[in-house]
Amino acid sequence: MRKIKTTKIGQNDYVDVSERLIHFWELNPNWSIITSIEQVNLETGTVIVKARVEDEKGKVRSTGHAFEFQADKKSRVNMTSFVENCETSAIGRSLGTKGIGTEY
């Protein structure tokens, strides 16, 4: 098993979602990550996405939710890709609740 790469954010080490995914698939090649848009409002530019991790039998092993705001001035990526960014965040949270990437 390879070492998980981290990124320094302030004083803390953070594990990017891409790294969490690599680690997840190494540990659980037969499991699934399923995402769904729970709510989207194009007028206000907001979205909520849910991600769930299921084992090979369809049993839910973890979930994660995320909320993004298209006009978030702290996130330039949200101006064009707030739905995609929200999905990535929800996946990261679902993997975090499974314990992947949280030791940092």
Side-chain angles (χ1 to χ4, degrees), residues 5-98:
K5 296 178 199 169
T6 61
T7 303
K8 199 63 124 168
I9 298 181
Q11 298 290 326
N12 300 317
D13 289 323
Y14 173 77
V15 179
D16 290 323
V17 175
S18 59
E19 282 293 311
R20 291 176 194 221
L21 281 166
I22 291 167
H23 191 68
F24 169 78
W25 291 122
E26 287 175 349
L27 293 172
N28 308 289
N30 298 316
W31 288 20
S32 301
I33 299 172
I34 298 144
T35 61
S36 59
I37 295 174
E38 299 293 298
Q39 181 181 335
V40 65
N41 186 325
L42 297 178
E43 249 180 60
T44 61
T46 58
V47 64
I48 298 171
V49 173
K50 176 181 181 179
R52 68 182 191 272
V53 174
E54 293 184 359
D55 66 18
E56 64 279 349
K57 294 180 180 177
K59 180 179 178 181
V60 176
R61 296 307 194 122
S62 68
T63 60
H65 290 81
F67 171 86
E68 293 291 343
F69 181 56
Q70 186 176 23
D72 183 356
K73 304 234 184 303
K74 295 178 184 174
S75 174
R76 289 182 43 194
V77 71
N78 276 9
M79 290 179 187
T80 59
S81 305
F82 74 111
V83 175
E84 296 91 331
N85 193 30
C86 192
E87 182 179 44
T88 301
S89 295
I91 291 169
R93 287 190 173 100
S94 69
L95 295 177
T97 61
K98 185 72 182 101

